[in-house]
Amino acid sequence: MRGLAKTSRSQGAMELVDLERPTPEPDEALIEVDYAGLCGSDAGIYEFESAFERMELPTVIGHEYTGRVIEAGDDVTNFAVGDRVVERPIRGCGECYQCQIGEENVCQNAVITGVDHDGAYAGHVSVPETALHPVPDDVEPKHAALVEPTSIGARAVIENSRVSPGDRVMVAGPGPIGQLTAQIARAQGGEVVLAGVGQDAEYRLPLAEELGFETINIEDDDLDARRDELTDGVGYDVVFDTTGHPSGLPMAVEEVRKGGQIVLVGQTGETTMPYSPLVRAEIDLQCSYASMYEDFERSLRLIASGDVDHATFLDDRFSLLEADEAFETFLAGGTCKPVFDASVLRD
Ligand SMILES: [Zn+2]
Ligand SMILES: [Zn+2]
């Protein structure tokens, strides 16, 4: 089989490499990968941002995917050949304080599939059964590939926000996590607007509109006027920052109402801003990171119910055989969530 690997410490440098099909350890299952999504962090590896300097190369990337069990190690008890699965790609160590108290998403020794060990842009992948999650029959394979990013939005909204029916909600950043967060906030009863920048006008803001959202292009629209119009001059009850940009938090502070909540989902790096207005308005600043078992469960149900519309959301125009095109288009904002057919890597 082949795999798409990061091969050197520079921009781009993704190559198709020949690999032995992995042999599962006793506690692992061998998965035939059906579909895999392209995540913002995969684009970060393509760019080779500093967060990925720890990677040992070459490493096959890809962490959001679905497939079928085709072989199970002797100690595997909860999965059998033929089962459809997804992986929870952030693996807690099971031993640190956070893991002991049920906070595996912030484990002190977490390892991530497709970063710290070979991932799913390959024909097959071998996975410990403790990291696998069953996929119900009513979720299509191409949609199941996107359970992992959906679970990030589910955690941000359902676990970590106070979005309630009738709330006015802004999601800053119409990238993959923003579009998913928006759909789940709407499923919770929020009236949601998605905000983007100039580059988003080509694909991502129109996608948000196709998904039924009001949108704001902060480079063209009068942000204050739109806020006053959409919130009767009060400001949004909850603002999610999924931009991953240093301007996201200062903008959220401008947009949220007094007594409202800001949920930080994107990783924005450094920003400098006056904090006194946050204190004087009693703004609740909440972070949300990664996801856990229950977030996967909820995501599978939200996809099955149609509350999260993956048929509209995903973009299957690209091939793993010419993945650079997908990465470059993603980085230019010309797509939002590419989903690859991984079977092309099996021959
Ligand atoms: Zn991801
Ligand atoms: Zn741990």
Side-chain angles (χ1 to χ4, degrees):
M1 67 173 200
R2 287 181 291 175
L4 187 74
K6 182 75 179 178
T7 52
S8 80
R9 302 179 174 279
S10 55
Q11 206 267 350
M14 297 281 195
E15 286 174 43
L16 286 170
V17 293
D18 287 314
L19 298 163
E20 289 294 315
R21 184 164 126 172
T23 306
E25 299 290 330
D27 66 337
E28 290 181 338
L30 182 66
I31 313 301
E32 193 162 86
V33 182
D34 289 322
Y35 294 99
L38 190 160
C39 173
S41 70
D42 298 316
I45 296 170
Y46 181 85
E47 295 280 80
F48 211 58
E49 291 168 355
S50 58
F52 302 104
E53 274 162 15
R54 72 173 189 275
M55 286 178 75
E56 286 173 25
L57 304 182
T59 294
V60 174
I61 70 159
H63 61 272
E64 46 192 62
Y65 69 96
T66 190
R68 286 153 293 112
V69 175
I70 58 163
E71 194 181 326
D74 287 344
D75 298 343
V76 171
T77 54
N78 292 319
F79 293 91
V81 170
D83 286 355
R84 292 174 57 208
V85 291
V86 292
E87 179 184 340
R88 296 186 307 280
I90 300 188
R91 298 184 196 163
C93 69
E95 282 164 20
C96 75
Y97 183 76
Q98 270 66 39
C99 286
Q100 297 290 0
I101 64 170
E103 297 178 353
E104 299 89 353
N105 63 316
V106 288
C107 166
Q108 297 172 24
N109 313 302
V111 293
I112 304 176
T113 297
V115 177
D116 300 304
H117 49 260
D118 281 343
Y121 286 179
H124 301 85
V125 63
S126 198
V127 184
E129 75 163 326
T130 51
L132 290 175
H133 209 102
V135 176
D137 291 340
D138 56 1
V139 176
E140 285 180 39
K142 223 182 253 188
H143 301 176
L146 302 182
V147 171
E148 193 271 339
T150 308
S151 74
I152 308 289
R155 183 164 189 82
V157 176
I158 302 169
E159 287 298 313
N160 285 325
S161 91
R162 51 162 103 130
V163 172
S164 305
D167 275 358
R168 281 104 166 223
V169 177
M170 170 181 267
V171 176
I177 298 300
Q179 306 258 5
L180 292 164
T181 298
Q183 292 184 70
I184 298 165
R186 178 170 61 192
Q188 291 279 92
E191 293 169 19
V192 183
V193 57
L194 256 156
V197 294
Q199 141 170 318
D200 300 317
E202 179 195 345
Y203 183 94
R204 294 179 175 185
L205 290 175
L207 173 63
E209 283 160 16
E210 205 182 330
L211 289 165
F213 295 106
E214 286 276 344
T215 64
I216 300 176
N217 183 333
I218 64 170
E219 287 173 23
D220 292 348
D221 297 342
D222 181 340
L223 205 49
D224 294 349
R226 291 298 304 277
R227 178 183 63 239
D228 288 351
E229 168 206 333
L230 292 167
T231 71
D232 300 322
V234 173
Y236 299 94
D237 296 292
V238 180
V239 177
F240 293 88
D241 177 21
T242 72
T243 61
H245 191 275
S247 64
L249 177 57
M251 183 181 110
V253 174
E254 291 291 314
E255 298 303 306
V256 73
R257 72 166 169 83
K258 286 179 182 267
Q261 184 187 38
I262 296 171
V263 182
L264 296 175
V265 191
Q267 297 178 50
T268 56
E270 281 185 38
T271 189
T272 306
M273 54 180 277
Y275 281 81
S276 300
L278 276 149
V279 176
R280 286 202 296 267
E282 206 174 56
I283 308 271
D284 173 17
L285 203 53
Q286 168 73 45
C287 296
S288 191
Y289 181 67
S291 61
M292 298 207 282
Y293 192 97
E294 64 192 336
D295 307 309
F296 272 71
E297 280 293 298
R298 285 175 170 147
S299 297
L300 286 161
R301 290 176 211 153
L302 286 162
I303 295 166
S305 71
D307 282 324
V308 172
D309 175 6
H310 279 342
T312 303
F313 176 56
L314 67 83
D315 183 356
D316 56 8
R317 289 177 291 165
F318 301 100
S319 168
L320 279 170
L321 302 181
E322 285 161 27
D324 280 9
E325 187 191 345
F327 282 105
E328 293 293 342
T329 309
F330 181 90
L331 288 165
T335 182
C336 189
K337 178 54 76 180
V339 174
F340 300 113
D341 177 349
S343 68
V344 297
L345 300 179
R346 276 204 272 286
D347 349 304

